[in-house]
Amino acid sequence: MRIIDFHTHLQDRWFLRPLPSETQFLDGMDRCGVEVSCIYTIMGFYGNCERENNQLANYARAHPKRIIPFATVDPKLGKPAVEELERCLSNPVFRGVKFHNWLQAFAPSMARETMIEILRCCARHDAPVVFHDGTPPYATTFQIAAMTRWVPEAKIVLGHGGLADYVYPAGQLLRDMPNLYICFCGPKAGDLPYLVEMAGADKVLFGSDFGFSDWKMLAGRLDDVIESGLDNASIEKILHGNAEQLLHLKERPL
Amino acid sequence: MKIEPPIIDAHALLGAEYHLKLDPVELLRRMDAHMVETAIARPMGAELAVFNTEGNNRVLKAHPRIRGMAAANPWFGGKAIEELKRCRDLGAVGLFLHPSRQGFMPTDDLVRPLLDFAVEAGWPVMFHTGSYVQSDILALGEVARKYPGLNFIAGFGGFTDMWFELPGLFAEAPNLYLDASVMWSDAIEQIVRERGESRVLFGSAEPRNCYAAGLKMFERLDVNDQQMRAILSANAKRIFRLP
């Protein structure tokens, strides 16, 4: 079965801690049968977004059939953040955007005007926007969901589907908000049938956080889906079908 | 590394909570399917927060292969202690506390009588850890420092976004153990590497996680046979004082 991992990080380090290299990252994908990974930065959440976005684009150019970069910007900067986002999304190699409000130290409401501009820009480019969720005080699942109402035409993805303690409300929000999606990355096998029951299998995407840790994390997160007891049709949508749609892979193949 | 019996599941949940449901018959079926000899279960949902007697009866009367951690809401005061005494007589092997569900801080004075009872009963105490505020894993660390003679288990291991506190906390609190039921491989491997395999317990978190996924994750751990045996059974046997 084709597998698209909607949530990974490709970065050489997190502060001083070494992370899987580019080669190890691709080896991990191969080992676990992942065809395509959406890659996000880590150190770019702390600054130098432009440099880090360029690095992500370089990875994609080196592995155009395997890697899809998601850009990030710092909304605290205001207009320059929107300009950097426009620069990235005008480059067809980027197909999405990632924010990590917790690490980037902003709650959406602190940068509301800029976030609205950012989400409108993403909507114009029809690029999904992934937000880390499940972590107070800047990235609760409710904070992301509240922002989703500001720009209904934007496609917003809860990067962790409620993570640990917000899974139940994440399911309710997913059901109630048409432009909200969930990346199943963190919740466990027993949570997945509930999320699908609440909103259907069309709004759930597979993600692993691979790159932040080694290939075993990717393998484990795949098991969370495969061992969930869901029917094959739902699993197919989660592991690749929904990502293909959000990333326009049929209209714009890699 | 191949997973081999005996396997003791140090953390399963019985009852109902939100979308999660599990009864003893189904837990036993799953245990059999995955060669799990014994499961240590605790109540969940309303039976964890309010109706403790019902929840404790559910886990303590489930089956001889299912042992129970007793739950008592500290806000019930003396009645909580009476309930724990009853559970001890029914064969409970530990105390389970969930600061978020039960509405207290681990460091609150109202918890002390329950911890004192656990000392008297020879029980380990598993605290749910994970979400910020009440279930802050560092709050459990403070309690562990105040009760050096009592064994504490970090239920769910601070899952997820306080995971980075684990290495430092485990270095400072020798009476703290990790319930690895929802953790990922290298977080577990780091504790084994830095603090030894004696600090890690296999748990399933059934029905939130499942044996099939959990055991595969453990199978991938970079540990040797002896370390795996400790994690899968010997540590639980020792900490919960199982026969």
Side-chain angles (χ1 to χ4, degrees):
Chain A
M1 186 184 300
R2 188 181 200 200
I3 300 171
I4 299 174
D5 189 340
F6 207 76
H7 189 147
T8 73
H9 299 271
L10 183 48
Q11 182 90 51
D12 58 339
R13 64 189 173 89
W14 183 38
F15 300 130
L16 299 178
R17 177 184 161 194
L19 296 176
S21 66
E22 182 179 354
T23 304
Q24 289 168 326
F25 187 89
L26 287 156
D27 286 348
M29 288 173 63
D30 290 339
R31 187 170 189 160
C32 297
V34 173
E35 182 180 325
V36 178
S37 291
C38 299
I39 60 165
Y40 318 151
T41 182
I42 292 182
M43 293 311 294
F45 296 137
Y46 301 96
N48 295 311
C49 292
E50 184 178 340
R51 184 185 70 194
E52 299 297 337
N53 288 334
N54 290 341
Q55 179 57 47
L56 293 176
N58 289 339
Y59 287 132
R61 276 189 279 272
H63 311 284
K65 301 283 188 192
R66 311 291 309 275
I67 297 288
I68 300 177
F70 276 38
T72 198
V73 296
D74 182 354
K76 301 190 297 295
L77 301 177
K79 195 176 173 190
V82 184
E83 289 169 353
E84 169 62 5
L85 186 65
E86 184 64 46
R87 179 186 78 90
C88 290
L89 293 181
S90 298
N91 177 347
V93 77
F94 286 98
R95 297 206 186 191
V97 180
K98 170 69 195 288
F99 289 99
H100 200 306
N101 318 23
W102 171 34
L103 300 186
Q104 290 181 289
F106 74 94
S109 54
M110 291 174 181
R112 182 180 172 115
E113 289 181 10
T114 305
M115 283 312 302
I116 288 172
E117 286 306 306
I118 283 171
L119 295 180
R120 284 178 178 157
C121 176
C122 294
R124 278 197 305 279
H125 289 274
D126 202 7
V129 197
V130 182
F131 287 84
H132 175 90
D133 79 298
T135 311
Y138 295 143
T140 74
T141 302
F142 292 108
Q143 284 171 312
I144 308 307
M147 176 184 49
T148 299
R149 295 191 180 91
W150 301 348
V151 183
E153 63 271 31
K155 290 173 181 164
I156 292 179
V157 182
L158 294 172
H160 293 286
L163 202 49
D165 297 294
Y166 291 90
V167 172
Y168 189 72
Q172 296 169 316
L173 294 161
L174 189 68
R175 175 196 62 199
D176 296 342
M177 306 181 80
N179 58 329
L180 188 66
Y181 299 79
I182 274 182
C183 188
F184 188 73
C185 177
K188 309 310 289 183
D191 297 320
L192 187 54
Y194 158 73
L195 294 169
V196 169
E197 184 188 336
M198 289 299 276
D202 295 336
K203 296 184 81 181
V204 182
L205 307 125
F206 166 68
S208 71
D209 239 343
F210 174 45
F212 165 74
S213 182
D214 65 14
W215 68 273
K216 287 176 276 188
M217 171 172 262
L218 170 54
R221 293 274 156 90
L222 274 169
D223 287 339
D224 291 336
V225 176
I226 292 162
E227 301 295 348
S228 66
L230 282 179
D231 59 88
N232 279 346
S234 297
I235 287 179
E236 291 239 10
K237 287 181 178 181
I238 292 164
L239 289 183
H240 67 93
N242 297 333
E244 285 165 3
Q245 288 215 347
L246 275 186
L247 298 167
H248 308 291
L249 290 180
K250 286 186 177 149
E251 303 88 328
R252 290 166 47 206
L254 295 175
Chain B
M1 179 165 301
K2 197 170 182 323
I3 297 280
E4 288 179 346
I7 300 171
I8 298 174
D9 172 4
H11 190 186
L13 294 68
L14 282 179
E17 181 177 290
Y18 299 125
H19 54 288
L20 304 173
K21 287 191 180 87
L22 187 60
D23 63 41
V25 173
E26 177 60 16
L27 176 58
L28 280 165
R29 190 192 68 74
R30 296 180 190 183
M31 290 165 63
D32 287 340
H34 294 90
M35 303 182 298
V36 175
E37 182 182 283
T38 303
I40 315 284
R42 52 89 166 176
M44 59 176 164
E47 293 178 345
L48 173 60
V50 185
F51 305 117
N52 297 150
T53 300
E54 289 82 347
N56 290 328
N57 285 342
R58 185 187 298 278
V59 301
L60 294 170
K61 296 179 180 179
H63 190 273
R65 286 170 57 203
I66 300 175
R67 307 300 303 270
M69 279 184 280
N73 191 323
W75 287 102
F76 288 140
K79 287 182 181 170
I81 302 301
E82 291 307 310
E83 175 60 13
L84 294 183
K85 286 179 182 168
R86 191 184 73 87
C87 292
R88 179 182 56 189
D89 295 342
L90 284 172
V93 294
L95 168 63
F96 182 82
L97 295 167
H98 196 308
S100 303
R101 292 270 183 276
Q102 295 174 324
F104 65 91
M105 277 288 184
T107 49
D108 285 349
D109 287 341
L110 64 89
V111 188
R112 282 184 161 271
L114 282 75
L115 300 178
D116 291 339
F117 183 84
V119 173
E120 181 190 320
W123 287 347
V125 182
M126 182 184 286
F127 273 81
H128 171 81
T129 58
S131 48
Y132 290 75
V133 193
Q134 284 99 339
S135 290
D136 186 328
I137 196 166
L138 294 180
L140 171 56
E142 293 300 322
V143 177
R145 285 185 184 90
K146 288 195 168 60
Y147 282 83
L150 187 55
N151 286 329
F152 292 91
I153 303 165
F156 285 7
F159 179 72
T160 169
D161 277 337
M162 293 199 80
W163 59 269
F164 43 82
E165 304 290 357
L166 288 176
L169 185 55
F170 271 71
E172 294 169 9
N175 53 334
L176 185 61
Y177 297 85
L178 175 69
D179 157 33
S181 60
V182 294
M183 299 303 288
W184 56 90
S185 310
D186 73 354
I188 299 168
E189 288 167 353
Q190 185 175 2
I191 298 297
V192 172
R193 199 168 52 244
E194 294 178 359
R195 299 297 143 207
E197 67 273 14
S198 67
R199 307 289 293 278
V200 177
L201 297 163
F202 165 72
S204 71
E206 284 272 9
R208 184 155 193 204
N209 203 352
C210 64
Y211 287 124
L215 285 169
K216 275 200 268 184
M217 190 274 289
F218 275 81
E219 206 163 11
R220 293 185 200 105
L221 288 179
D222 186 17
V223 297
N224 62 33
D225 284 342
Q226 180 196 328
Q227 291 170 324
M228 186 64 88
R229 279 195 293 276
I231 292 168
L232 288 181
S233 61
N235 294 340
K237 204 166 183 174
R238 182 181 77 252
I239 293 164
F240 288 103
R241 300 186 181 187
L242 301 179

